[in-house]
Amino acid sequence: MGFSGESELILLPLIDGKIEFDKILIFYLDDMLRDGAIKSVSAFFQQLSRLFESKSTLSEIHVALRKDNAIELIKGAILKNLPYGIGDVITRGNYFVIMN
């Protein structure tokens, strides 16, 4: 198998100082971007960073990511179906953010 040129992120758990290979998470970043599963790689890394602060296992991170993705899909479907272009106005408002 040759190099595809695609970007992948592979997470392996470290348990008692040993890398475990039986439970890994693989993220196909280019595919995720192309399919709209993530807005950007940097935003995805920020999301992972926040999850690592509160979750202790890859399984917990996997569940949290699926939950976050489901929420975003539902939110997108609702915004898309709001009348009079209200969803577009709300979506554009997401780009004006105040951060501490």
Side-chain angles (χ1 to χ4, degrees):
M1 180 177 184
F3 176 66
S4 68
E6 299 284 316
S7 301
E8 299 167 356
L9 172 64
I10 301 172
L11 300 178
L12 303 143
L14 180 67
I15 300 173
D16 297 326
K18 296 180 183 177
I19 297 174
E20 300 286 331
F21 291 96
D22 57 337
K23 294 181 182 177
I24 64 173
L25 283 178
I26 301 174
F27 301 98
Y28 299 97
L29 299 172
D30 293 319
D31 292 337
M32 293 169 72
L33 273 172
R34 197 172 18 258
D35 293 340
I38 60 175
K39 293 177 183 175
S40 71
V41 172
S42 62
F44 180 63
F45 278 22
Q46 288 175 351
Q47 180 184 18
L48 280 177
S49 177
R50 284 191 303 274
L51 288 173
F52 282 124
E53 292 175 358
S54 62
K55 309 296 182 205
S56 60
T57 67
L58 290 182
S59 294
E60 289 176 342
I61 290 169
H62 179 253
V63 168
L65 286 171
R66 290 184 60 109
K67 179 181 170 187
D68 289 350
N69 191 36
I71 290 169
E72 286 300 312
L73 287 172
I74 292 168
K75 186 170 83 172
I78 291 170
L79 289 173
K80 183 178 177 182
N81 289 301
L82 288 175
Y84 309 113
I86 295 171
D88 292 335
V89 172
I90 293 170
T91 299
R92 285 191 298 266
N94 288 332
Y95 300 106
F96 301 98
V97 179
I98 297 174
M99 298 188 73
N100 293 334

mmCIF file of all heavy atoms in Angstrom, residues 33-69:
data_model
loop_
_atom_site.group_PDB
_atom_site.id
_atom_site.type_symbol
_atom_site.label_atom_id
_atom_site.label_comp_id
_atom_site.label_asym_id
_atom_site.label_seq_id
_atom_site.Cartn_x
_atom_site.Cartn_y
_atom_site.Cartn_z
ATOM 1 N N LEU A 33 -13.140 16.681 6.602
ATOM 2 C CA LEU A 33 -13.321 18.031 6.050
ATOM 3 C C LEU A 33 -14.214 18.007 4.817
ATOM 4 O O LEU A 33 -15.149 18.804 4.693
ATOM 5 C CB LEU A 33 -11.969 18.628 5.665
ATOM 6 C CG LEU A 33 -11.196 19.369 6.728
ATOM 7 C CD1 LEU A 33 -9.802 19.715 6.229
ATOM 8 C CD2 LEU A 33 -11.927 20.617 7.163
ATOM 9 N N ARG A 34 -13.925 17.101 3.916
ATOM 10 C CA ARG A 34 -14.660 16.996 2.653
ATOM 11 C C ARG A 34 -16.138 16.706 2.897
ATOM 12 O O ARG A 34 -17.010 17.252 2.224
ATOM 13 C CB ARG A 34 -14.022 15.899 1.799
ATOM 14 C CG ARG A 34 -14.376 15.911 0.363
ATOM 15 C CD ARG A 34 -13.582 14.943 -0.506
ATOM 16 N NE ARG A 34 -12.885 13.854 0.136
ATOM 17 C CZ ARG A 34 -11.559 13.830 0.387
ATOM 18 N NH1 ARG A 34 -10.807 14.855 0.077
ATOM 19 N NH2 ARG A 34 -10.996 12.787 0.957
ATOM 20 N N ASP A 35 -16.431 15.851 3.891
ATOM 21 C CA ASP A 35 -17.817 15.466 4.172
ATOM 22 C C ASP A 35 -18.530 16.432 5.110
ATOM 23 O O ASP A 35 -19.707 16.255 5.413
ATOM 24 C CB ASP A 35 -17.853 14.063 4.779
ATOM 25 C CG ASP A 35 -17.415 12.991 3.794
ATOM 26 O OD1 ASP A 35 -17.449 13.251 2.575
ATOM 27 O OD2 ASP A 35 -17.046 11.887 4.243
ATOM 28 N N GLY A 36 -17.805 17.442 5.587
ATOM 29 C CA GLY A 36 -18.425 18.424 6.472
ATOM 30 C C GLY A 36 -18.556 17.961 7.909
ATOM 31 O O GLY A 36 -19.274 18.580 8.695
ATOM 32 N N ALA A 37 -17.884 16.869 8.273
ATOM 33 C CA ALA A 37 -17.951 16.382 9.649
ATOM 34 C C ALA A 37 -17.220 17.323 10.600
ATOM 35 O O ALA A 37 -17.556 17.403 11.785
ATOM 36 C CB ALA A 37 -17.364 14.977 9.747
ATOM 37 N N ILE A 38 -16.214 18.033 10.087
ATOM 38 C CA ILE A 38 -15.510 19.054 10.862
ATOM 39 C C ILE A 38 -15.404 20.310 10.003
ATOM 40 O O ILE A 38 -15.398 20.229 8.778
ATOM 41 C CB ILE A 38 -14.107 18.592 11.327
ATOM 42 C CG1 ILE A 38 -13.209 18.231 10.128
ATOM 43 C CG2 ILE A 38 -14.216 17.444 12.302
ATOM 44 C CD1 ILE A 38 -11.778 17.880 10.496
ATOM 45 N N LYS A 39 -15.348 21.460 10.671
ATOM 46 C CA LYS A 39 -15.248 22.727 9.940
ATOM 47 C C LYS A 39 -13.816 22.995 9.514
ATOM 48 O O LYS A 39 -13.568 23.530 8.447
ATOM 49 C CB LYS A 39 -15.773 23.863 10.803
ATOM 50 C CG LYS A 39 -17.251 23.768 11.067
ATOM 51 C CD LYS A 39 -17.731 24.868 11.972
ATOM 52 C CE LYS A 39 -19.207 24.662 12.261
ATOM 53 N NZ LYS A 39 -19.742 25.605 13.204
ATOM 54 N N SER A 40 -12.865 22.648 10.370
ATOM 55 C CA SER A 40 -11.446 22.807 10.061
ATOM 56 C C SER A 40 -10.656 21.866 10.952
ATOM 57 O O SER A 40 -11.146 21.433 12.002
ATOM 58 C CB SER A 40 -10.988 24.253 10.289
ATOM 59 O OG SER A 40 -10.961 24.544 11.666
ATOM 60 N N VAL A 41 -9.446 21.568 10.541
ATOM 61 C CA VAL A 41 -8.593 20.698 11.346
ATOM 62 C C VAL A 41 -8.251 21.383 12.660
ATOM 63 O O VAL A 41 -8.281 20.755 13.721
ATOM 64 C CB VAL A 41 -7.320 20.296 10.570
ATOM 65 C CG1 VAL A 41 -6.348 19.553 11.456
ATOM 66 C CG2 VAL A 41 -7.688 19.445 9.357
ATOM 67 N N SER A 42 -7.967 22.671 12.624
ATOM 68 C CA SER A 42 -7.616 23.376 13.864
ATOM 69 C C SER A 42 -8.792 23.400 14.847
ATOM 70 O O SER A 42 -8.595 23.216 16.049
ATOM 71 C CB SER A 42 -7.128 24.791 13.571
ATOM 72 O OG SER A 42 -8.130 25.552 12.950
ATOM 73 N N ALA A 43 -10.007 23.600 14.350
ATOM 74 C CA ALA A 43 -11.183 23.570 15.229
ATOM 75 C C ALA A 43 -11.375 22.172 15.820
ATOM 76 O O ALA A 43 -11.737 22.032 16.992
ATOM 77 C CB ALA A 43 -12.428 24.001 14.464
ATOM 78 N N PHE A 44 -11.115 21.146 15.020
ATOM 79 C CA PHE A 44 -11.230 19.773 15.508
ATOM 80 C C PHE A 44 -10.188 19.505 16.598
ATOM 81 O O PHE A 44 -10.487 18.894 17.620
ATOM 82 C CB PHE A 44 -11.072 18.785 14.355
ATOM 83 C CG PHE A 44 -11.178 17.345 14.764
ATOM 84 C CD1 PHE A 44 -12.350 16.844 15.310
ATOM 85 C CD2 PHE A 44 -10.102 16.491 14.599
ATOM 86 C CE1 PHE A 44 -12.445 15.510 15.687
ATOM 87 C CE2 PHE A 44 -10.193 15.162 14.966
ATOM 88 C CZ PHE A 44 -11.363 14.671 15.517
ATOM 89 N N PHE A 45 -8.958 19.989 16.404
ATOM 90 C CA PHE A 45 -7.919 19.810 17.417
ATOM 91 C C PHE A 45 -8.293 20.539 18.711
ATOM 92 O O PHE A 45 -8.037 20.040 19.810
ATOM 93 C CB PHE A 45 -6.573 20.291 16.897
ATOM 94 C CG PHE A 45 -5.857 19.278 16.026
ATOM 95 C CD1 PHE A 45 -6.540 18.266 15.378
ATOM 96 C CD2 PHE A 45 -4.498 19.355 15.854
ATOM 97 C CE1 PHE A 45 -5.885 17.347 14.579
ATOM 98 C CE2 PHE A 45 -3.823 18.434 15.057
ATOM 99 C CZ PHE A 45 -4.525 17.428 14.421
ATOM 100 N N GLN A 46 -8.903 21.715 18.600
ATOM 101 C CA GLN A 46 -9.360 22.427 19.790
ATOM 102 C C GLN A 46 -10.436 21.626 20.513
ATOM 103 O O GLN A 46 -10.436 21.536 21.738
ATOM 104 C CB GLN A 46 -9.898 23.807 19.415
ATOM 105 C CG GLN A 46 -8.823 24.773 19.014
ATOM 106 C CD GLN A 46 -9.393 26.102 18.532
ATOM 107 O OE1 GLN A 46 -10.590 26.261 18.331
ATOM 108 N NE2 GLN A 46 -8.505 27.069 18.328
ATOM 109 N N GLN A 47 -11.357 21.034 19.744
ATOM 110 C CA GLN A 47 -12.401 20.207 20.332
ATOM 111 C C GLN A 47 -11.779 19.011 21.056
ATOM 112 O O GLN A 47 -12.163 18.692 22.183
ATOM 113 C CB GLN A 47 -13.358 19.732 19.237
ATOM 114 C CG GLN A 47 -14.487 18.863 19.749
ATOM 115 C CD GLN A 47 -15.356 18.331 18.609
ATOM 116 O OE1 GLN A 47 -14.954 18.333 17.456
ATOM 117 N NE2 GLN A 47 -16.536 17.883 18.954
ATOM 118 N N LEU A 48 -10.813 18.358 20.419
ATOM 119 C CA LEU A 48 -10.140 17.225 21.059
ATOM 120 C C LEU A 48 -9.423 17.664 22.334
ATOM 121 O O LEU A 48 -9.477 16.963 23.352
ATOM 122 C CB LEU A 48 -9.123 16.593 20.107
ATOM 123 C CG LEU A 48 -9.660 15.655 19.044
ATOM 124 C CD1 LEU A 48 -8.524 15.175 18.145
ATOM 125 C CD2 LEU A 48 -10.378 14.466 19.663
ATOM 126 N N SER A 49 -8.774 18.805 22.288
ATOM 127 C CA SER A 49 -8.062 19.311 23.456
ATOM 128 C C SER A 49 -9.004 19.500 24.638
ATOM 129 O O SER A 49 -8.689 19.123 25.768
ATOM 130 C CB SER A 49 -7.370 20.622 23.102
ATOM 131 O OG SER A 49 -6.732 21.170 24.214
ATOM 132 N N ARG A 50 -10.179 20.079 24.374
ATOM 133 C CA ARG A 50 -11.171 20.253 25.443
ATOM 134 C C ARG A 50 -11.640 18.908 25.975
ATOM 135 O O ARG A 50 -11.831 18.736 27.177
ATOM 136 C CB ARG A 50 -12.350 21.079 24.935
ATOM 137 C CG ARG A 50 -12.049 22.562 24.816
ATOM 138 C CD ARG A 50 -13.305 23.386 24.569
ATOM 139 N NE ARG A 50 -14.033 22.984 23.387
ATOM 140 C CZ ARG A 50 -13.801 23.422 22.157
ATOM 141 N NH1 ARG A 50 -12.843 24.298 21.947
ATOM 142 N NH2 ARG A 50 -14.520 23.005 21.139
ATOM 143 N N LEU A 51 -11.825 17.939 25.082
ATOM 144 C CA LEU A 51 -12.281 16.621 25.521
ATOM 145 C C LEU A 51 -11.222 15.915 26.368
ATOM 146 O O LEU A 51 -11.552 15.241 27.343
ATOM 147 C CB LEU A 51 -12.647 15.750 24.317
ATOM 148 C CG LEU A 51 -13.931 16.129 23.599
ATOM 149 C CD1 LEU A 51 -14.095 15.311 22.327
ATOM 150 C CD2 LEU A 51 -15.130 15.932 24.515
ATOM 151 N N PHE A 52 -9.959 16.080 26.015
ATOM 152 C CA PHE A 52 -8.886 15.446 26.792
ATOM 153 C C PHE A 52 -8.828 15.985 28.214
ATOM 154 O O PHE A 52 -8.374 15.290 29.117
ATOM 155 C CB PHE A 52 -7.527 15.632 26.116
ATOM 156 C CG PHE A 52 -7.296 14.709 24.964
ATOM 157 C CD1 PHE A 52 -6.986 15.222 23.713
ATOM 158 C CD2 PHE A 52 -7.396 13.342 25.107
ATOM 159 C CE1 PHE A 52 -6.763 14.373 22.638
ATOM 160 C CE2 PHE A 52 -7.184 12.485 24.040
ATOM 161 C CZ PHE A 52 -6.865 13.001 22.799
ATOM 162 N N GLU A 53 -9.288 17.208 28.429
ATOM 163 C CA GLU A 53 -9.305 17.777 29.776
ATOM 164 C C GLU A 53 -10.340 17.107 30.665
ATOM 165 O O GLU A 53 -10.151 17.027 31.878
ATOM 166 C CB GLU A 53 -9.586 19.275 29.706
ATOM 167 C CG GLU A 53 -8.471 20.083 29.091
ATOM 168 C CD GLU A 53 -8.827 21.542 28.920
ATOM 169 O OE1 GLU A 53 -9.969 21.941 29.251
ATOM 170 O OE2 GLU A 53 -7.976 22.300 28.433
ATOM 171 N N SER A 54 -11.431 16.615 30.071
ATOM 172 C CA SER A 54 -12.524 16.077 30.885
ATOM 173 C C SER A 54 -12.742 14.570 30.736
ATOM 174 O O SER A 54 -13.437 13.971 31.545
ATOM 175 C CB SER A 54 -13.831 16.800 30.542
ATOM 176 O OG SER A 54 -14.171 16.588 29.176
ATOM 177 N N LYS A 55 -12.161 13.962 29.735
ATOM 178 C CA LYS A 55 -12.350 12.531 29.500
ATOM 179 C C LYS A 55 -11.033 11.801 29.736
ATOM 180 O O LYS A 55 -9.972 12.311 29.439
ATOM 181 C CB LYS A 55 -12.830 12.257 28.062
ATOM 182 C CG LYS A 55 -14.026 13.069 27.625
ATOM 183 C CD LYS A 55 -15.249 12.745 28.425
ATOM 184 C CE LYS A 55 -16.433 13.549 27.907
ATOM 185 N NZ LYS A 55 -17.459 13.754 28.890
ATOM 186 N N SER A 56 -11.137 10.563 30.239
ATOM 187 C CA SER A 56 -9.905 9.854 30.582
ATOM 188 C C SER A 56 -9.591 8.684 29.656
ATOM 189 O O SER A 56 -8.479 8.159 29.698
ATOM 190 C CB SER A 56 -9.965 9.363 32.033
ATOM 191 O OG SER A 56 -11.058 8.480 32.211
ATOM 192 N N THR A 57 -10.542 8.265 28.828
ATOM 193 C CA THR A 57 -10.277 7.133 27.931
ATOM 194 C C THR A 57 -10.659 7.498 26.499
ATOM 195 O O THR A 57 -11.461 8.403 26.265
ATOM 196 C CB THR A 57 -11.068 5.877 28.343
ATOM 197 O OG1 THR A 57 -12.475 6.116 28.140
ATOM 198 C CG2 THR A 57 -10.815 5.489 29.795
ATOM 199 N N LEU A 58 -10.091 6.762 25.548
ATOM 200 C CA LEU A 58 -10.456 6.972 24.146
ATOM 201 C C LEU A 58 -11.922 6.647 23.911
ATOM 202 O O LEU A 58 -12.570 7.276 23.074
ATOM 203 C CB LEU A 58 -9.564 6.143 23.234
ATOM 204 C CG LEU A 58 -8.103 6.583 23.139
ATOM 205 C CD1 LEU A 58 -7.350 5.698 22.143
ATOM 206 C CD2 LEU A 58 -7.979 8.029 22.732
ATOM 207 N N SER A 59 -12.459 5.675 24.643
ATOM 208 C CA SER A 59 -13.881 5.332 24.497
ATOM 209 C C SER A 59 -14.760 6.511 24.890
ATOM 210 O O SER A 59 -15.741 6.814 24.215
ATOM 211 C CB SER A 59 -14.229 4.106 25.353
ATOM 212 O OG SER A 59 -13.567 2.973 24.878
ATOM 213 N N GLU A 60 -14.413 7.183 25.989
ATOM 214 C CA GLU A 60 -15.186 8.355 26.413
ATOM 215 C C GLU A 60 -15.087 9.473 25.383
ATOM 216 O O GLU A 60 -16.072 10.153 25.101
ATOM 217 C CB GLU A 60 -14.679 8.860 27.770
ATOM 218 C CG GLU A 60 -15.025 7.952 28.926
ATOM 219 C CD GLU A 60 -14.428 8.430 30.237
ATOM 220 O OE1 GLU A 60 -13.487 9.255 30.221
ATOM 221 O OE2 GLU A 60 -14.913 7.982 31.285
ATOM 222 N N ILE A 61 -13.907 9.659 24.818
ATOM 223 C CA ILE A 61 -13.717 10.688 23.793
ATOM 224 C C ILE A 61 -14.531 10.349 22.552
ATOM 225 O O ILE A 61 -15.194 11.212 21.974
ATOM 226 C CB ILE A 61 -12.218 10.852 23.476
ATOM 227 C CG1 ILE A 61 -11.525 11.505 24.667
ATOM 228 C CG2 ILE A 61 -12.011 11.668 22.204
ATOM 229 C CD1 ILE A 61 -10.029 11.493 24.608
ATOM 230 N N HIS A 62 -14.522 9.078 22.149
ATOM 231 C CA HIS A 62 -15.291 8.631 20.980
ATOM 232 C C HIS A 62 -16.779 8.910 21.172
ATOM 233 O O HIS A 62 -17.437 9.455 20.284
ATOM 234 C CB HIS A 62 -15.038 7.141 20.753
ATOM 235 C CG HIS A 62 -15.781 6.577 19.603
ATOM 236 N ND1 HIS A 62 -16.855 5.738 19.770
ATOM 237 C CD2 HIS A 62 -15.626 6.733 18.265
ATOM 238 C CE1 HIS A 62 -17.321 5.406 18.582
ATOM 239 N NE2 HIS A 62 -16.598 5.998 17.662
ATOM 240 N N VAL A 63 -17.319 8.579 22.331
ATOM 241 C CA VAL A 63 -18.737 8.809 22.613
ATOM 242 C C VAL A 63 -19.048 10.307 22.590
ATOM 243 O O VAL A 63 -20.045 10.738 22.001
ATOM 244 C CB VAL A 63 -19.128 8.182 23.973
ATOM 245 C CG1 VAL A 63 -20.501 8.642 24.419
ATOM 246 C CG2 VAL A 63 -19.077 6.666 23.887
ATOM 247 N N ALA A 64 -18.177 11.115 23.205
ATOM 248 C CA ALA A 64 -18.406 12.562 23.238
ATOM 249 C C ALA A 64 -18.372 13.156 21.835
ATOM 250 O O ALA A 64 -19.190 14.024 21.497
ATOM 251 C CB ALA A 64 -17.361 13.230 24.128
ATOM 252 N N LEU A 65 -17.444 12.707 20.994
ATOM 253 C CA LEU A 65 -17.369 13.210 19.618
ATOM 254 C C LEU A 65 -18.616 12.847 18.823
ATOM 255 O O LEU A 65 -19.132 13.658 18.059
ATOM 256 C CB LEU A 65 -16.123 12.675 18.919
ATOM 257 C CG LEU A 65 -14.801 13.292 19.338
ATOM 258 C CD1 LEU A 65 -13.639 12.516 18.741
ATOM 259 C CD2 LEU A 65 -14.737 14.750 18.927
ATOM 260 N N ARG A 66 -19.102 11.631 18.991
ATOM 261 C CA ARG A 66 -20.327 11.213 18.282
ATOM 262 C C ARG A 66 -21.509 12.052 18.747
ATOM 263 O O ARG A 66 -22.346 12.466 17.939
ATOM 264 C CB ARG A 66 -20.577 9.729 18.478
ATOM 265 C CG ARG A 66 -19.560 8.859 17.742
ATOM 266 C CD ARG A 66 -19.889 7.401 17.874
ATOM 267 N NE ARG A 66 -21.195 7.123 17.310
ATOM 268 C CZ ARG A 66 -21.400 6.448 16.183
ATOM 269 N NH1 ARG A 66 -20.383 5.996 15.505
ATOM 270 N NH2 ARG A 66 -22.613 6.218 15.751
ATOM 271 N N LYS A 67 -21.582 12.300 20.046
ATOM 272 C CA LYS A 67 -22.671 13.121 20.594
ATOM 273 C C LYS A 67 -22.588 14.543 20.037
ATOM 274 O O LYS A 67 -23.597 15.097 19.582
ATOM 275 C CB LYS A 67 -22.585 13.141 22.119
ATOM 276 C CG LYS A 67 -23.637 13.974 22.787
ATOM 277 C CD LYS A 67 -23.450 13.959 24.293
ATOM 278 C CE LYS A 67 -24.339 14.972 24.957
ATOM 279 N NZ LYS A 67 -24.060 15.091 26.389
ATOM 280 N N ASP A 68 -21.384 15.138 20.061
ATOM 281 C CA ASP A 68 -21.204 16.491 19.524
ATOM 282 C C ASP A 68 -21.582 16.552 18.048
ATOM 283 O O ASP A 68 -22.217 17.506 17.595
ATOM 284 C CB ASP A 68 -19.757 16.954 19.703
ATOM 285 C CG ASP A 68 -19.401 17.250 21.150
ATOM 286 O OD1 ASP A 68 -20.304 17.281 22.003
ATOM 287 O OD2 ASP A 68 -18.200 17.439 21.416
ATOM 288 N N ASN A 69 -21.195 15.532 17.284
ATOM 289 C CA ASN A 69 -21.493 15.497 15.852
ATOM 290 C C ASN A 69 -23.000 15.397 15.621
ATOM 291 O O ASN A 69 -23.548 16.071 14.747
ATOM 292 C CB ASN A 69 -20.762 14.337 15.174
ATOM 293 C CG ASN A 69 -20.821 14.428 13.672
ATOM 294 O OD1 ASN A 69 -20.775 15.506 13.107
ATOM 295 N ND2 ASN A 69 -20.925 13.289 13.020
#
